[in-house]
Amino acid sequence: QLVESGGGLVQAGGSLRLSCAASGRTFSNYGMGWFRQAPGKEREFVTAISWSGVNIYYADYVKGRFTISRDNAKNTVYLQMNSLKPEDTAVYYCAAGAYYYGLESSGYAYWGQGTQVTVSS
């Protein structure tokens, strides 16, 4: 089970930190990803981190502004979002994939319920 938290309403230029708490499996065996879906758009990749935390991918549109991290002792992955823009407004989902941390949503078997992030201009 994956449970996201930390979403909310923020002004452009502001910051938010999302958390995703995992339970029920050996968290350290799973790559973790963050995806987002804006109204009327398809779900898109944001960032992903390998099970060890050594390997990380970012989508170009968040690179330099967002940071993914994980704490395997707490079974939690984080998404620090800085310099937020109105176009970052979306429902953000975390996902877990057994030994997978790629860009394709199909590689992730488990998904959270999502948390809304709204950035006002």
Side-chain angles (χ1 to χ4, degrees):
Q1 182 182 8
L2 301 175
V3 179
E4 302 99 333
S5 61
L9 173 64
V10 64
Q11 289 189 332
S15 299
L16 283 174
R17 188 194 196 202
L18 305 184
S19 299
C20 174
S23 62
R25 286 170 175 83
T26 305
F27 182 70
S28 58
N29 290 343
Y30 285 78
M32 300 296 295
W34 286 97
F35 290 76
R36 67 186 184 185
Q37 188 167 19
K41 295 187 177 181
E42 293 190 354
R43 189 173 298 186
E44 64 181 8
F45 171 80
V46 176
T47 180
I49 187 168
S50 63
W51 41 94
S52 64
V54 171
N55 300 106
I56 292 174
Y57 293 133
Y58 292 103
D60 286 345
Y61 35 81
V62 304
K63 199 172 293 184
R65 300 188 297 122
F66 289 13
T67 303
I68 189 172
S69 61
R70 66 188 295 162
D71 185 339
N72 286 346
K74 296 182 178 180
N75 287 357
T76 302
V77 63
Y78 304 97
L79 181 62
Q80 178 67 43
M81 304 185 295
N82 298 330
S83 302
L84 282 161
K85 305 175 181 180
E87 51 264 45
D88 294 318
T89 295
V91 177
Y92 283 72
Y93 298 89
C94 71
Y99 296 108
Y100 180 80
Y101 58 98
L103 283 64
E104 299 295 328
S105 60
S106 58
Y108 297 90
Y110 305 100
W111 292 80
Q113 82 289 349
T115 186
Q116 177 69 47
V117 171
T118 303
V119 184
S120 63
S121 57

